[in-house]
Amino acid sequence: MRIPSPILRTYQGLHTWTGIIAGLFLFIGFFAGALTMFKAPIDAWSSPPEATLSHPDPSHYDRLIEQAAAQFPDMKKGFILDLNPDHSPLTWYESGSDREPGLNDSVRHATLDQNEQLQSVMQTPNRLGTLIDYLHQSAGIPGEIGHHLVGGYLVGIAAILYFIALISGLIFLLPTLTKSFFALRTNKGASRFWLDSHNLLGITSFPFHVVIALTAVVFAFHDFFYAGLFLIYGDIPLFARALPAATAFQMDTLPSIHEHIRAAEAYVSGYQVQTISFTGLDTTTPFAIFTLLNEHEVMRGPLYDYLFMNPYTFEISGSTFNPGNEGVWSRIVASFFALHFGSFGGEWVRWVYFALGLAGAALFYTGNLLWLEKKRNKHSAEQSKSYTRMASLTVGVCLGSVAGVMAAMLITKWATIALLNVNELYMWVYYGVFLAALGYAFWQGAAKAAIHFLGLITLICVLIPITSTLTAFILPSPWLTLQGHAWYVELIAVLFAVIAFYGQRKVTQRAYQGEPNSIWFIADLNEGTSDAALTLEQSR
């Protein structure tokens, strides 16, 4: 395909600058997003074993709810019955809310003991998975506007630029696409290798990136889209809403849990009820939200599909099933959710999305490296300050966010054993490591910072499975569970350790043997400023 050179240069410039501007926001979003594919295993891994109570016989769920309501009347405001044996059967918030999880929320867990008497414990939910999800949604930028994250809007703007970068990059590559699609040339210098890697990652995962870019924009600005639709539809509601009853319902007339499960599974065949969330049972607007699982179908939530109904009359007020009776707009929004979350096909699709998420983060990192390589002065050891600062910013943000998340994982079990507020500690550890990495990168330069932080990430990731093994022997009840795929966390830590170790060796090699006229060359290496490089040299 022939495209005039001026047009190609325009698209190349557009691709470069939109990618550079959006890349650092999106690196954090993609890296954390890859981890959120396993939010449930992370929650299972980070929660101490005593936080989960055993289940009574399923036929006793009604008795459990009845006794809990008698002893704790406030639980009628809202509680969750969880049918998954990996979780406590009955929970409710005594402070905080599941809509806006806080660092100091209190959740009571309840079950029946062997004598069918109520047994309950108070827990502060571990928010490690929530922290990672927060980084995914906001790139770690704090603050709120209304009920939306400031970082969420910025990530949405970055997603728009990201979509432009995708399309312009594809157009720019079209003339040479057939020649260079699978080329990964390692014998033509580092810049050619990074360019081939960048192109290969971008083209092979192009449909995934288009889906993520569009859905991220929808998530960030859906309120504005709805406001625009109201201009067209006026007072006609976009989503069906249940009308309040003439008189308040009473909880002692609530149908049995067995009837609820039967009503939900009758609505859609092939699905299994996972949880039922009840709210407002003694009001005129009682509500029940069912999560249903069928890994052979396309689901519209991160883990499940949802069904909304009146818990007394079983009248359906909405669902995420397709086809459903909730209208075309609900189905469109629900489909966007499914494509973004990868909630179809079971575990293997989650691993595919995990790999694509990491590849996306690598795409932004390599994009910045290519830009820096292209702009450097190849005839002088002295490089422009603007490019060295951009290199420091790239290393500080990217490696700092990875090190911060892994450090938060590392302190989880030790902080819980020490009875510290682990959720607050997560915030201090993540932002402390992230800001320290950023400052260190500007202080020592990108090359040294990259070497040292890749080494730090390797060490932290190796210590995570070691910590799990040690705490399993220290605690009275073993905190080394295989339930809920919790072992995925150790597997991912080892995977990151291998990648970081390999990356450190390559960066060190380049600092030691690379071109002197490069921002990645360490001029004072032989003066003993890089222990890692000297170690590598001595090993040869």
Side-chain angles (χ1 to χ4, degrees):
M1 177 182 291
R2 289 184 176 276
I3 300 177
S5 295
I7 295 178
L8 284 180
R9 283 195 294 272
T10 300
Y11 279 108
Q12 184 185 23
L14 192 61
H15 175 76
T16 299
W17 284 108
T18 51
I20 290 291
I21 294 170
L24 296 181
F25 288 102
L26 296 176
F27 177 92
I28 300 176
F30 268 77
F31 164 69
L35 291 178
T36 59
M37 287 293 104
F38 302 111
K39 186 178 178 183
I42 290 171
D43 286 338
W45 178 85
S46 59
S47 299
E50 60 270 20
T52 303
L53 300 180
S54 59
H55 278 238
D57 186 276
S59 62
H60 294 169
Y61 283 146
D62 296 306
R63 186 175 303 170
L64 168 61
I65 294 172
E66 181 181 347
Q67 290 195 24
Q71 189 167 336
F72 302 97
D74 284 347
M75 65 88 71
K76 296 179 183 178
K77 296 177 182 175
F79 61 88
I80 300 173
L81 180 70
D82 198 324
L83 306 185
N84 188 335
D86 292 341
H87 305 150
S88 296
L90 188 65
T91 57
W92 65 92
Y93 279 78
E94 293 206 346
S95 67
S97 162
D98 59 346
R99 288 180 174 273
E100 297 179 356
L103 302 181
N104 298 296
D105 290 350
S106 297
V107 174
R108 184 168 292 279
H109 298 234
T111 188
L112 295 178
D113 62 17
Q114 293 180 345
N115 298 319
E116 298 186 4
Q117 298 301 307
L118 187 70
Q119 175 190 1
S120 72
V121 295
M122 184 79 82
Q123 298 283 342
T124 297
N126 193 298
R127 299 299 190 194
L128 179 59
T130 304
L131 167 67
I132 295 172
D133 195 22
Y134 171 78
L135 296 175
H136 168 57
Q137 295 181 41
S138 68
I141 300 169
E144 295 184 357
I145 299 176
H147 62 283
H148 286 288
L149 300 172
V150 172
Y153 285 126
L154 295 176
V155 170
I157 294 171
I160 294 173
L161 297 174
Y162 162 43
F163 181 75
I164 296 171
L166 286 172
I167 301 301
S168 56
L170 178 65
I171 294 172
F172 173 66
L173 278 179
L174 279 178
T176 59
L177 186 60
T178 54
K179 294 181 181 178
S180 60
F181 185 16
F182 287 111
L184 194 60
R185 287 157 284 194
T186 58
N187 57 347
K188 293 189 176 182
S191 61
R192 172 55 65 180
F193 172 77
W194 284 116
L195 179 60
D196 288 343
S197 302
H198 183 81
N199 292 342
L200 184 62
L201 286 173
I203 294 299
T204 52
S205 56
F206 185 79
F208 169 79
H209 285 281
V210 169
V211 167
I212 295 300
L214 293 177
T215 49
V217 173
V218 172
F219 287 142
F221 302 112
H222 62 271
D223 277 357
F224 296 100
F225 296 151
Y226 293 156
L229 291 173
F230 278 124
L231 296 176
I232 300 173
Y233 287 87
D235 295 333
I236 301 175
L238 296 176
F239 303 101
R241 296 184 186 280
L243 297 175
T247 58
F249 291 90
Q250 296 300 315
M251 188 173 168
D252 54 6
T253 64
L254 185 71
S256 70
I257 294 301
H258 175 69
E259 290 175 283
H260 280 89
I261 295 173
R262 191 169 57 188
E265 294 181 347
Y267 179 78
V268 56
S269 61
Y271 286 75
Q272 291 184 329
V273 175
Q274 300 298 299
T275 65
I276 311 174
S277 301
F278 295 95
T279 55
L281 290 178
D282 283 349
T283 70
T284 57
T285 55
F287 204 60
I289 303 175
F290 293 72
T291 59
L292 292 102
L293 174 67
N294 183 344
E295 293 186 343
H296 302 293
E297 296 290 341
V298 176
M299 295 178 289
R300 275 74 179 177
L303 296 174
Y304 310 112
D305 260 315
Y306 295 91
L307 178 65
F308 312 100
M309 71 165 62
N310 183 310
Y312 292 95
T313 64
F314 299 149
E315 179 184 359
I316 306 296
S317 58
S319 78
T320 59
F321 294 101
N322 189 13
N325 57 1
E326 65 284 351
V328 64
W329 292 113
S330 291
R331 291 201 293 274
I332 291 174
V333 172
S335 298
F336 267 93
F337 286 7
L339 289 171
H340 187 92
F341 295 136
S343 51
F344 51 90
E347 289 299 306
W348 76 269
V349 169
R350 296 194 173 278
W351 279 106
V352 169
Y353 263 59
F354 172 75
L356 289 171
L358 293 183
L363 193 67
F364 300 117
Y365 191 73
T366 55
N368 276 26
L369 295 185
L370 284 171
W371 183 79
L372 292 165
E373 188 67 20
K374 184 178 179 181
K375 293 295 183 181
R376 72 183 172 92
N377 185 347
K378 298 180 181 179
H379 305 290
S380 171
E382 191 70 23
Q383 299 295 321
S384 166
K385 286 187 178 179
S386 60
Y387 301 131
T388 57
R389 287 169 182 162
M390 187 63 195
S392 297
L393 187 65
T394 299
V395 168
V397 169
C398 297
L399 298 186
S401 63
V402 175
V405 170
M406 303 316 292
M409 285 187 175
L410 178 61
I411 59 99
T412 295
K413 296 187 177 182
W414 296 117
T416 304
I417 292 172
L419 302 179
L420 300 175
N421 186 327
V422 66
N423 294 326
E424 290 187 355
L425 206 55
Y426 287 149
M427 306 301 285
W428 283 102
V429 168
Y430 173 77
Y431 283 104
V433 172
F434 177 79
L435 294 174
L438 203 55
Y440 190 78
F442 278 97
W443 176 39
Q444 290 291 314
K448 286 182 185 175
I451 292 171
H452 294 163
F453 267 90
L454 285 169
L456 178 64
I457 292 169
T458 304
L459 177 63
I460 292 172
C461 291
V462 168
L463 288 176
I464 288 174
I466 292 176
T467 289
S468 293
T469 305
L470 288 176
T471 52
F473 289 102
I474 291 174
L475 294 177
S477 55
W479 192 353
L480 190 63
T481 177
L482 300 179
Q483 293 180 337
H485 300 297
W487 59 275
Y488 281 3
V489 175
E490 275 90 9
L491 177 63
I492 290 171
V494 172
L495 175 65
F496 282 1
V498 172
I499 294 173
F501 178 74
Y502 178 78
Q504 189 202 30
R505 289 185 64 85
K506 298 299 290 183
V507 173
T508 304
Q509 185 177 9
R510 184 169 187 181
Y512 191 74
Q513 296 180 327
E515 295 181 49
N517 299 337
S518 167
I519 54 177
W520 305 109
F521 182 76
I522 301 177
D524 56 350
L525 184 65
N526 292 325
E527 298 175 14
T529 56
S530 173
D531 295 338
L534 290 175
T535 301
L536 179 64
E537 170 64 10
Q538 289 167 359
S539 68
R540 292 176 176 171

